[in-house]
Every structure is written in C-alpha cells, then in structure tokens.
Amino acid sequence: EVQLLESGGGLVQPGESLRLSCAASGFTFRTYAMSWVRQAPGKGLEWVSGINGNGGSTYYADSVKGRFTISRDNSKNTLYVQMHSLRAEDTAVYYCAKEMCSSTNCYAIDYWGQGTLVTVSS
Amino acid sequence: DIQMTQSPSTLSTSVGDRVTITCRASQTIRSWLAWYQQKPGKAPKLLIYKASSLESGVPSRFSGSGSETEFTLTITSLQPDDFATYYCQQYNDYPLTFGGGTKVEIK
C-alpha cells in the first residue's frame, strides 16, 4: 500500500524558513517523479514543485521559484521542500504527491499524502 | 505558463442528473489532462488521466473526453457520494497547472 506521510508544518513568521518532509513507502520511491501541491484555506489546488526520480531535474511554480528548493533522498525514501523567505500567501496545506508515469512521460498524480499545514503569520 | 480555465465554478444539481464540467487550456496540451475529485478536508483523488483513461477503481459513471485545448468531465447519473469539488490539471509542460475547480453541490 502506497503511503505518503508529510511532516514539518507549523506556524512561522514572515521571512522565516521551514523544511517539509514526506516519508514514502509501498512503492519503489527512486523510480517515480514526485511533486508538492498546496492549497490555501478555502482556495483551489496549486502545484508548487516537482522532481524526477533521480533528483536530477527539478521544476517550480513561478510563485515559489528562487525561494523554495525541492530535493529527495532515495536512500531514505524521503521527499523534501526547503522553503525560504516565507510570505503570508504561502499559508496553505502542503501535499506530497506521487506522479503516475510511463517510461517517457508523467501524466497525473495517483497518490497524495494527508497534507501538512504551513501558516505564515506574525 | 499554461492557464487552465474550468466552468462552471459552481454547479447546483440533483441526484440522478447528468453533469458536465469543462476545462479549457490556454494552448494545446494534446491529451495530457487529469481530473481529480476533492471532498472537504481530504486530499484529492485521481479520476481520469490522459484525458479519457479511467483510473482503477473509479466508477464507470465518470468519463473524460477532449484533446488539444478543450476537455470535459462527465458524470452520468450523479450519486450522493459525488458531491465534491472537481479539478483539472495539465501535464503537458512545466509548471504544471490546475483549473480553478468546480464545486458540485446539491440543488
């Protein structure tokens, strides 16, 4: 059974940093691309960042580019996102997500974590 | 970036109705489109991938169609469990983008 368990959320002040982790199990972690998706309170889904299986390619939404860094440790089956210069508008539930992929393309998110809440407020 | 526009934003409907939700892309995304269902306080659930492929375990009353820039999600004979918010997402290019969502509510 695929499980994705996020941790690291909490209350931080504007300008501060935070690192989220996602412990994965139930699948061969190193062979799958992963993403972070967030949802502000009462709002829709926003894709934040993605990373391929070996960590060699990373992608970011314009809203977080230069402030967030996605990474993975395949020896620990863990996905990370390091968030710097946090703003009030980064307040959201952050979901860890496994991508559904063929050998050449990814085309959906087939598993989601339960989410971890990040609140940026003074 | 590719913009995804869903319509309507809210749909008031009844059990047994046929529901159609539209998603339009600002440029062609071929068939790289997924649909998700989300209920309050829960993570989204994958329904459809590659525009028309039904995810395993999803009831056959859900179907997807379309290509290039226009896509639809259809629910035939809406069931009580289907009242939720639905999102489309393009997978043609990074950054990946979601539509704004369609809330299907009870009339």
Side-chain angles (χ1 to χ4, degrees):
Chain A
E1 179 193 5
V2 172
Q3 292 194 343
L4 301 170
L5 185 61
E6 302 96 337
S7 60
L11 173 64
V12 295
Q13 296 194 343
E16 292 188 339
S17 300
L18 199 63
R19 188 179 82 160
L20 305 182
S21 301
C22 171
S25 61
F27 63 104
T28 307
F29 181 71
R30 66 181 182 275
T31 65
Y32 286 92
M34 301 289 293
S35 278
W36 288 98
V37 177
R38 69 184 181 183
Q39 187 168 36
K43 302 298 185 182
L45 301 171
E46 180 187 15
W47 177 85
V48 172
S49 183
I51 186 168
N52 71 345
N54 64 19
S57 296
T58 57
Y59 310 92
Y60 298 94
D62 292 344
S63 58
V64 306
K65 198 173 295 182
R67 300 188 299 122
F68 289 16
T69 302
I70 191 171
S71 62
R72 63 193 297 158
D73 185 337
N74 287 342
S75 69
K76 296 181 178 179
N77 289 352
T78 302
L79 177 72
Y80 304 99
V81 62
Q82 178 69 54
M83 306 183 292
H84 294 295
S85 304
L86 282 161
R87 307 166 180 167
E89 54 265 35
D90 296 317
T91 294
V93 172
Y94 285 72
Y95 293 102
C96 168
K98 171 188 170 293
E99 298 189 24
M100 174 188 271
C101 305
S102 67
S103 58
T104 55
N105 290 92
C106 294
Y107 40 82
I109 291 170
D110 56 355
Y111 289 94
W112 301 70
Q114 86 290 346
T116 187
L117 177 62
V118 173
T119 303
V120 185
S121 175
S122 54
Chain B
D1 298 0
I2 299 173
Q3 308 304 317
M4 305 300 294
T5 303
Q6 279 183 243
S7 60
S9 55
T10 305
L11 192 55
S12 296
T13 186
S14 302
V15 172
D17 284 355
R18 179 185 180 93
V19 167
T20 300
I21 298 169
T22 298
C23 180
R24 291 187 172 90
S26 61
Q27 62 191 74
T28 180
I29 58 170
R30 297 174 286 172
S31 294
W32 300 116
L33 186 94
W35 289 98
Y36 304 89
Q37 177 194 67
Q38 188 181 33
K39 296 181 179 178
K42 300 293 187 181
K45 172 187 174 183
L46 177 64
L47 300 175
I48 302 285
Y49 59 93
K50 286 194 278 189
S52 61
S53 296
L54 190 68
E55 169 67 340
S56 176
V58 174
S60 58
R61 63 181 179 272
F62 291 91
S63 65
S65 64
S67 65
E68 307 297 337
T69 62
E70 188 147 342
F71 302 85
T72 59
L73 173 70
T74 300
I75 313 170
T76 57
S77 189
L78 197 73
Q79 298 301 298
D81 191 50
D82 301 336
F83 291 98
T85 300
Y86 295 83
Y87 295 92
C88 61
Q89 182 196 24
Q90 67 84 14
Y91 249 91
N92 186 75
D93 197 13
Y94 290 98
L96 307 181
T97 43
F98 287 92
T102 296
K103 183 176 182 180
V104 176
E105 60 181 26
I106 300 172
K107 184 184 290 184

